[in-house]
Amino acid sequence: MREVRPEDLNGADRLFGGRLMQWIDEVAGITGLRYAENTVVTASVDNLRFIRGVYQHEIVALIGRVTYVGRTSMEVRVDTYVESLDGMRHPVNRAYLTLVSVDKNGKSKEVPRLIVESVGEQAEWEAGKKRSELRKKSVQIEQLLVMFEIAHKQ
């Protein structure tokens, strides 16, 4: 939970998107650290779409949970809400981040398997698996484009 303060605002008097991204990354990192019981680093962010603005003095609640696990990486979903004083939450953002577990030398380290119990968790797992496959394809395409650009500059 955070209260939006003047230093968190952009020129339009709304929460600065970069500040929210920082908070999301912190929540994802803590979620990943607790899950892996090990140091984790952020590898990617899949989505950062703002559903509504956030203003000074509003209370922001961020909730992270592991949704998918690979061998050394995990996907963490972070949901962001504005919470009113009566406890009602209004969605602001949902982001999916990929974190990698690393040892003290910075080498990737295996993470525990995720126990999926509910139908909702199973659906989230399947969606996370698809997002993981798309991320891998995207990296391959980016690598090909770089190779193409290098070849055509020579």
Side-chain angles (χ1 to χ4, degrees):
M1 303 286 250
R2 296 185 183 262
E3 178 187 4
V4 178
R5 301 182 184 278
E7 60 269 20
D8 300 323
L9 301 178
N10 62 22
D13 288 329
R14 295 174 181 227
L15 176 63
F16 180 59
R19 180 78 65 186
L20 179 59
M21 183 59 219
Q22 176 187 349
W23 296 345
I24 289 169
D25 193 34
E26 288 173 2
V27 168
I30 291 167
T31 301
L33 174 69
R34 291 177 76 184
Y35 179 79
E37 297 181 357
N38 189 59
T39 301
V40 295
V41 295
T42 304
S44 69
V45 180
D46 281 1
N47 185 12
L48 190 61
R49 185 172 11 106
F50 296 92
I51 298 166
R52 73 179 287 282
V54 181
Y55 302 92
Q56 187 172 348
H57 300 301
E58 288 188 311
I59 304 299
V60 177
L62 297 102
I63 301 167
R65 57 183 283 230
V66 175
T67 54
Y68 177 77
V69 172
R71 192 177 64 79
T72 62
S73 66
M74 69 192 78
E75 179 185 79
V76 176
R77 183 179 93 190
V78 178
D79 291 311
T80 304
Y81 303 93
V82 166
E83 187 171 295
S84 59
L85 295 177
D86 65 2
M88 288 295 296
R89 289 184 176 163
H90 307 279
V92 171
N93 182 280
R94 173 172 286 172
Y96 290 93
L97 295 84
T98 302
L99 291 94
V100 177
S101 175
V102 295
D103 65 18
K104 63 182 178 184
N105 298 315
K107 291 196 166 240
S108 56
K109 182 178 176 181
E110 287 195 23
V111 294
R113 299 294 91 203
L114 183 63
I115 298 170
V116 177
E117 297 176 327
S118 72
V119 172
E121 289 172 346
Q122 182 65 40
E124 194 69 79
W125 171 271
E126 294 298 330
K129 185 175 181 180
K130 287 180 181 166
R131 283 188 294 272
S132 176
E133 291 165 1
L134 288 171
R135 280 189 293 271
K136 288 174 185 172
K137 286 179 183 175
S138 176
V139 168
Q140 291 171 344
I141 290 169
E142 287 174 23
Q143 289 171 340
L144 287 171
L145 287 172
V146 168
M147 289 172 33
F148 179 79
E149 287 175 5
I150 291 171
H152 282 76
K153 284 184 181 180
Q154 297 178 352

